[in-house]
Amino acid sequence: MESELHSIGELARNSGLGVGTLRYYDGAEVLSPAWVDPHTGYRWYRPAQLADARLLARLRRVGLPLAAIRAVLGADPGSGEARRVLDAHLRRLEDGLADARRELSLIRTMIDQREQPMTTTPAETRLTVPADGLAAALDAVRFAVCGDPELPSLAGVLFEPDGPVLRLVATDRYRLALAEVPATGAPEQPTAGTIVPTPLADALRALLPTAPAEVTLTLGTGTFRAETGGHRIEGAALDFDYPDHRVLTRLDPQHRITLPAADLRAAVETGATRTLPSGPQGTDCAVTVLTLTQDGRLTVATTPAAGDVQVAVNRDFLLDALRAGHPEQLLLELGGPIAPLAIRTPGRAGTFSVLMPVRLPDAA
């Protein structure tokens, strides 16, 4: 019998797997020998098992988990199960690569800031902005301000002068909102900006409906001041480093859809949802699944057909973004199931929000 079989050493040499590795996979019931000598304990393998061993070696190189390896090697020929396992693993690798790229981008930014510190806000920066534009900008970003007491650096709105505009930014890590308003007197180069605490930003917004045409803002020296029509609002700014929003807004959308805001809001409000971990601290929340069909229609929580694109997002976060600023038309940018969803208002390039996607279990 032994003359018809490969010894474990021969199988190891011809497959690229070590002898110890073959013993491990025998114990794990992944690749068991055809015969074990009862006296010596030597393992012997059929010639046909060499192909399985070589396949196993490649599956290990791409990091396929043990259970998935077992499923591939045990799949019935023609069932398609082995391909489904490999496709699911490839999606997990792509998800991990996207996550790694985002983290590495943040790390590079942190290193750049460490080696070449960002230009700090001047001792005092005074700029003038239109009151109605500032109100619209606050309305567009307020929903994304973080309310988690454990993240105090996000408990406010970033006021960031950037040449001819004042950029407002808010994020709670699950969503990001940006808005721009024309400004005069701002530095030509972007600065680190000032984080205005939420209560101070809300007080400013409450003042704007009765304000004259313009508002004068003063940033820097750890304080924030707004003056208009003889009224002044002033308070301490938050003394933290704000996340680099530029990294989070380097999007690569594959699909763009323009549609009435009211139509999408109605579809989301009445559409079916799924309950998945999608809230702060991984809490279960209602999730809306947006499906872009091959003919360009955007639907909510439907069973996808082959070639359809799906992205899942927290339903409440999506509704907040759709209501922010009361837009009439929307431009949605989709990059795929693991890419952020961008929601824009046509004609306002600097005003948009980004929602982090929720991974669907059946897409893993």
Side-chain angles (χ1 to χ4, degrees):
M1 173 183 281
E2 294 181 3
S3 62
E4 302 173 359
L5 302 175
H6 292 300
S7 70
I8 191 171
E10 291 173 330
L11 192 69
R13 287 192 296 273
N14 293 329
S15 68
L17 296 171
V19 170
T21 301
L22 287 170
R23 293 193 183 111
Y24 167 76
Y25 283 116
D26 176 18
E29 299 182 349
V30 172
L31 184 63
S32 299
W35 180 65
V36 179
D37 190 312
H39 301 293
T40 63
Y42 287 169
R43 293 170 171 84
W44 298 87
Y45 296 81
R46 293 188 303 274
Q49 288 184 286
L50 176 58
D52 284 347
R54 287 172 173 168
L55 174 58
L56 174 56
R58 291 189 175 274
L59 295 176
R60 291 181 75 245
R61 291 191 193 109
V62 298
L64 201 68
L66 181 62
I69 290 176
R70 188 182 290 113
V72 170
L73 293 180
D76 294 331
S79 67
E81 177 61 23
R83 289 187 176 274
R84 284 192 289 271
V85 172
L86 295 179
D87 289 344
H89 182 61
L90 179 58
R91 287 193 292 270
R92 285 193 294 270
L93 292 176
E94 290 172 341
D95 289 358
L97 180 58
D99 291 341
R101 282 174 172 162
R102 282 193 291 268
E103 288 299 319
L104 286 172
S105 293
L106 289 170
I107 290 170
R108 289 191 182 100
T109 299
M110 294 171 69
I111 292 174
D112 290 344
Q113 291 174 347
R114 186 179 182 185
E115 295 178 349
Q116 299 177 352
M118 191 175 186
T119 302
T120 58
T121 304
E124 187 173 272
T125 299
R126 288 175 60 87
L127 59 155
T128 302
V129 298
D132 57 351
L134 181 57
L138 284 167
D139 289 343
V141 305
R142 176 62 178 84
F143 76 95
V145 174
C146 183
D148 187 345
E150 295 186 2
L151 297 171
S153 63
L154 304 181
V157 177
L158 178 69
F159 279 57
E160 182 183 65
D162 186 1
V165 300
L166 171 67
R167 183 177 300 108
L168 274 59
V169 185
T171 183
D172 61 1
R173 299 186 304 164
Y174 302 95
R175 49 198 171 165
L176 171 74
L178 301 92
E180 292 181 353
V181 56
T184 57
E188 293 184 1
Q189 299 298 322
T191 70
T194 297
I195 308 175
V196 180
T198 305
L200 194 57
D202 289 345
L204 172 61
R205 179 61 184 89
L207 177 65
L208 293 176
T210 60
E214 293 183 332
V215 181
T216 299
L217 303 176
T218 304
L219 313 176
T221 64
T223 62
F224 171 81
R225 184 166 65 251
E227 299 169 282
T228 180
H231 297 280
R232 172 188 289 190
I233 293 177
E234 186 172 2
L238 297 179
D239 187 17
F240 297 103
D241 291 328
Y242 204 79
D244 186 357
H245 56 82
R246 295 170 185 82
V247 174
L248 302 176
T249 54
R250 291 170 189 157
L251 307 175
D252 184 22
Q254 304 300 312
H255 309 277
R256 292 180 171 88
I257 312 99
T258 302
L259 72 170
D263 290 355
L264 183 55
R265 284 198 303 271
V268 174
E269 289 170 349
T270 60
T273 61
R274 300 178 63 173
T275 300
L276 295 170
S278 59
Q281 289 79 50
T283 55
D284 285 347
C285 295
V287 170
T288 292
V289 182
L290 299 176
T291 300
L292 179 64
T293 63
Q294 294 187 71
D295 59 3
R297 292 181 299 107
L298 189 72
T299 60
V300 173
T302 59
T303 302
D308 287 352
V309 177
Q310 284 197 313
V311 60
V313 292
N314 182 297
R315 176 182 180 272
D316 291 340
F317 292 173
L318 176 57
L319 286 174
D320 286 343
L322 297 180
R323 295 171 183 142
H326 309 288
E328 294 184 0
Q329 289 289 114
L330 293 173
L331 171 62
L332 269 61
E333 296 182 343
L334 290 76
I338 62 170
L341 170 69
I343 303 173
R344 300 181 183 272
T345 301
R348 299 177 65 188
T351 299
F352 63 100
S353 56
V354 177
L355 303 182
M356 296 299 107
V358 178
R359 188 173 302 176
L360 294 171
D362 50 9

